[in-house]
Amino acid sequence: MPRWSAFCARADDRRHPPGPATLIATQQEVLVERIAFVGLGTMGAAMAANLRRAGFEITVWNRTPGRAAELVAQGASEAATPADAARVADVVVTCVSDTPDVDAVLFGPDGVADGLAAGGLVIDCSTISPGATAGFAARLRERGVGFVDAPVSGGSEGAKNATLTIFVGGEPADVERAHPVLAAMGKTITHFGPAGSGQAVKAVNQVVIAGIYLGVAEGMILAMKAGLDPEAVAGALGGGVAKSWIL
């Protein structure tokens, strides 16, 4: 079950000058979700580290052994299977390679679905099929588990610096619950609609990026055919409207 922690906040000293009568404290109860993070690749390891830095209790699992050592040193726990990680969590975040991998870690032997109790939430940050995502959400809903698709953009630097752009799909209540977790990993978080919507927007993102790559490649070929230094051309273009991360 989620854990509750208490904190005290001092009244504003500008409104209440210092003194015994003015040190008024208010106590609030704050819900702290326990997180399982499944998938510690280049993106996932950095995202899990940011969740740990944000104060979340983290249990991690990765298919390839040896990826969790740095996170364990930061206070995370390591589980033997996705199911074991999910058993001690309220929210499971997955970040793996492709649709079959998400299917396997969620519904395969010793998968998340075997360990996560009803009332739990899965947040999938992988980049996978929108249709399959909607199907995963429906299967988990039958078990009383919520689902949010939250693919990310921003690369390894965005993952490391917690500045990722996150495209979100899911039921409003699930998205609201997921928001503190997502906010610890990213900067621009947008909810587009039901499960699968986030993945659909990520597909749009990929099409746009592919077009930019193609344009940059064609431009550099043109520069070289004209006998120009492509590095100098790229540097000059980077100071104008053509500037882009890919350039």
Side-chain angles (χ1 to χ4, degrees):
M1 295 293 294
R3 297 184 179 180
W4 295 87
S5 64
F7 71 93
C8 293
R10 181 176 294 181
D12 190 334
D13 288 341
R14 291 172 297 179
R15 295 172 56 189
H16 303 280
T22 63
L23 297 180
I24 303 169
T26 60
Q27 185 167 317
Q28 296 179 348
E29 296 286 342
V30 180
L31 181 63
V32 179
E33 303 269 29
R34 299 170 300 169
I35 309 296
F37 203 105
V38 173
L40 302 176
T42 301
M43 299 292 288
M47 294 159 67
N50 283 326
L51 288 170
R52 183 70 193 118
R53 290 188 193 100
F56 287 98
E57 181 181 323
I58 302 285
T59 301
V60 299
W61 177 87
N62 191 66
R63 179 172 52 189
T64 305
R67 297 282 299 183
E70 187 172 339
L71 285 162
V72 170
Q74 294 171 9
S77 301
E78 185 175 10
T81 68
D84 289 339
R87 284 189 186 97
V88 294
D90 309 302
V91 176
V92 177
V93 182
T94 55
C95 188
V96 295
S97 301
D98 204 352
T99 303
D101 300 303
V102 176
D103 194 352
V105 298
L106 290 181
F107 303 108
D110 290 321
V112 168
D114 289 339
L116 188 59
L121 177 68
V122 172
I123 302 171
D124 181 36
C125 294
S126 315
T127 296
I128 64 170
S129 159
T133 291
F136 295 156
R139 291 169 69 182
L140 289 170
R141 194 177 306 117
E142 292 173 355
R143 298 169 177 257
V145 172
F147 182 92
V148 168
D149 56 301
V152 302
S153 180
S156 57
E157 285 301 307
K160 184 185 301 182
N161 297 324
T163 57
L164 292 167
T165 293
I166 307 179
F167 313 116
V168 182
E171 295 298 317
D174 291 332
V175 172
E176 182 179 359
R177 180 180 177 185
H179 194 273
V181 178
L182 299 176
M185 301 185 292
K187 186 175 181 181
T188 303
I189 303 164
T190 309
H191 181 206
F192 291 95
S197 299
Q199 295 294 352
V201 178
K202 181 61 184 286
V204 173
N205 181 78
Q206 300 305 87
V207 169
V208 171
I209 290 174
I212 296 172
Y213 271 114
L214 180 60
V216 169
E218 290 289 345
M220 291 301 103
I221 290 172
L222 178 60
M224 289 186 288
K225 285 184 175 180
L228 302 171
D229 179 353
E231 290 189 11
V233 171
L237 294 177
V241 176
K243 179 180 181 180
S244 76
W245 183 22
I246 292 169
L247 183 64

